[in-house]
Amino acid sequence: MKYAVIDIGSNTIRLCVYQIEETQFHLLFSEKAMAGLAGYVKKGILSPAGIQRACAALTRFKELLTQFDIDHIFAFATASLRNITNTEEALRQIHAQTGFSVDLISGREEAILDYRGSLHDQGLPSGLLVDIGGGSTELAVFEQEQIRLAESLPIGSLSLHTQYVRKFLPNAEEQNRIRKKIQQEWNRLKDGESASRLSEFLPHEPEICGVGGTVRAALKLINTDYRLPYDNRQFTARQLHTLTEELCLRNKEARTRILRHCPDRVHTILPGLLILDTLVQKTGGRRVTVSRFGVREGYLCKQLEMSKESQ
């Protein structure tokens, strides 16, 4: 059987098609559209142009899928549509124009699905999962493959760029504003209802599982810098901090590295790295293991389980 999963994110909209064999799956192919929906949000409202941007990507994916024998198609949205005030209108227009009924998942559920997906790749027994998206950042503390705490921070690589950066790369003043915002959200998490559970379950120097485009871009840059094997999936906190500080210089070398290795993230790589570097330092993590899988695979597993239960 073949399942198609469409992930409507704040930065990218991705289509992934999987071959299902009993309880196992493998990715057949994927496509993405750099929709940048977070850039179309003003005063909490996703503009008509933003909705049309999403519809255009979904329509292209729908036409592509007609060329394949797909058994099931699912579409879900994360911070792109849940962190706006006109969510229902956006969902209604998307359904009317594309035929897709989009499943809106909460930040907590996104963190849980991130971890479920990562288990099919890295399978770390205990630690902290970090998923930096375009519009939000998900955290999940897990112990012996059980989630103890799942939280979503309302900051993402694209939303921070849209809010604080005037050009492509943030200057020193804009970087300071971004760092201050990240610190505020971390303090809100530490001081909120989750504080006691965070300190209770988060181990000392936790193993960190990284999910998402920012983390994968960081891995690619670090593998290149240190001449590591292309299939290396880990980097240290020190390597991450050095990379972040070097790119924050915004000099010719920094710009060249970004354009050469992650040109599709020229707007978002620095805000995303600032989030990741801050979280790794705040939690005391020593290294990050990068997962190939995340929320899409977690969502797929959820649908497969629901299908099995209904039989």
Side-chain angles (χ1 to χ4, degrees):
M1 297 181 68
K2 296 183 181 68
Y3 277 55
V5 176
I6 301 174
D7 173 4
I8 305 172
S10 297
N11 191 25
T12 61
I13 300 178
R14 289 181 178 268
L15 162 67
C16 293
V17 176
Y18 303 89
Q19 178 69 48
I20 311 299
E21 297 176 359
E22 296 182 354
T23 60
Q24 301 299 315
F25 63 82
H26 65 270
L27 180 65
L28 293 179
F29 71 89
S30 66
E31 290 283 335
K32 73 175 179 179
M34 301 300 295
L37 297 186
Y40 291 89
V41 178
K42 303 296 181 183
K43 297 182 179 180
I45 298 174
L46 180 61
S47 70
I51 295 175
Q52 290 306 311
R53 183 86 169 180
C55 289
L58 292 172
T59 298
R60 180 168 70 86
F61 289 162
K62 187 175 183 179
E63 292 173 351
L64 177 62
L65 289 172
T66 60
Q67 304 176 39
F68 300 89
D69 182 21
I70 306 295
D71 299 284
H72 300 281
I73 302 174
F74 300 99
F76 70 89
T78 53
S80 59
L81 299 184
R82 71 168 178 257
N83 289 349
I84 59 175
T85 58
N86 59 330
T87 298
E88 293 302 321
E89 175 63 17
L91 292 174
R92 186 189 66 78
Q93 289 196 37
I94 288 173
H95 182 264
Q97 294 187 43
T98 70
F100 286 116
S101 296
V102 178
D103 185 7
L104 188 68
I105 64 175
S106 68
R108 184 176 186 278
E109 183 178 7
E110 183 177 357
I112 293 172
L113 294 178
D114 272 323
Y115 179 64
R116 291 186 63 180
S118 72
L119 281 175
H120 286 268
D121 185 26
Q122 298 300 329
L124 295 175
S126 300
L128 172 69
L129 179 139
V130 178
D131 176 14
I132 301 169
S136 66
T137 295
E138 276 60 54
L139 304 175
V141 179
F142 53 96
E143 182 180 33
Q144 300 303 316
E145 298 190 357
Q146 296 294 319
I147 291 186
R148 302 302 185 186
L149 176 68
E151 292 288 338
S152 179
L153 304 180
I155 49 174
S157 59
L158 182 56
S159 61
L160 286 178
H161 185 279
T162 300
Q163 185 173 358
Y164 295 107
V165 184
R166 289 169 294 184
K167 296 183 179 180
F168 289 107
L169 300 178
N171 59 34
E173 180 183 352
E174 292 166 342
Q175 291 172 28
N176 287 334
R177 291 177 180 174
I178 290 173
R179 292 180 192 271
K180 183 178 180 180
K181 177 62 175 179
I182 297 169
Q183 182 66 52
Q184 288 176 347
E185 293 302 330
W186 174 256
N187 291 342
R188 185 173 291 113
L189 175 65
K190 291 283 290 183
D191 297 337
E193 296 179 359
S194 301
S196 59
R197 295 183 65 199
L198 184 66
S199 60
E200 177 184 355
F201 292 117
L202 188 63
H204 177 65
E205 297 182 352
E207 292 285 339
I208 295 179
C209 177
V211 174
T214 291
V215 182
R216 290 193 298 270
L219 176 69
K220 186 176 182 180
L221 286 161
I222 289 171
N223 280 351
T224 301
D225 291 345
Y226 292 88
R227 298 182 180 180
L228 299 173
Y230 77 95
D231 57 351
N232 171 62
R233 308 297 300 177
Q234 292 184 336
F235 54 81
T236 67
R238 183 180 294 276
Q239 289 170 334
L240 171 64
H241 186 67
T242 298
L243 172 66
T244 304
E245 292 299 303
E246 289 176 350
L247 295 187
C248 279
L249 294 175
R250 301 173 68 247
N251 55 22
K252 182 179 179 180
E253 180 183 355
R255 294 194 298 271
T256 300
R257 291 165 70 185
I258 292 172
L259 291 173
R260 181 174 296 167
H261 299 294
C262 48
D264 58 337
R265 297 189 176 274
V266 65
H267 293 84
T268 61
I269 184 62
L270 264 181
L273 285 177
L274 289 170
I275 297 173
L276 180 60
D277 187 43
T278 299
L279 291 176
V280 170
Q281 291 188 55
K282 294 294 183 183
T283 58
R286 298 292 295 274
R287 64 181 178 182
V288 177
T289 300
V290 181
S291 175
R292 295 172 300 160
F293 298 154
V295 65
R296 289 180 291 278
E297 288 73 24
Y299 189 87
L300 174 64
C301 291
K302 174 185 174 182
Q303 295 301 326
L304 291 174
E305 288 180 2
M306 292 174 61
S307 176
K308 185 177 180 179
E309 291 174 357
S310 64
Q311 293 177 356

